[in-house]
Amino acid sequence: MWALTNKERHQNIDDAFVVKAEYKHMELADKNILIVDDIYTTGATIEAVTKVLRSYKPLKIDALTLASGSF
């Protein structure tokens, strides 16, 4: 995955995340959500997860990454 370009990373992760049917009943409106990712390279993963979670109208979405990478 390190060899992908920015555009390729976004294409690779696009539509990769969904909320499973058994969790769709969760009430996330007005909740604070923390996304934890192991490494931040282009932000594609966080953007894709945030895109899915926004439909649940949370109060706030934050992200925490443990490392960053660039080449």
Side-chain angles (χ1 to χ4, degrees):
M1 293 287 285
W2 279 89
L4 297 178
T5 66
N6 190 338
K7 182 178 178 181
E8 290 170 331
R9 285 180 191 281
H10 281 83
Q11 289 173 338
N12 186 51
I13 204 81
D14 194 34
D15 297 323
F17 298 99
V18 296
V19 175
K20 293 174 73 172
E22 62 261 32
Y23 297 109
K24 289 194 177 199
H25 71 283
M26 289 189 316
E27 291 294 327
L28 297 178
D30 300 321
K31 304 284 185 189
N32 294 316
I33 297 173
L34 176 63
I35 300 167
V36 179
D37 194 6
D38 61 341
I39 189 165
Y40 184 96
T41 305
T42 63
T45 302
I46 292 170
E47 288 176 19
V49 173
T50 299
K51 179 180 165 183
V52 172
L53 293 173
R54 279 191 182 138
S55 67
Y56 288 85
K57 305 205 183 311
L59 180 65
K60 186 177 178 183
I61 300 173
D62 288 310
L64 171 69
T65 55
L66 305 175
S68 67
S70 62
F71 31 142

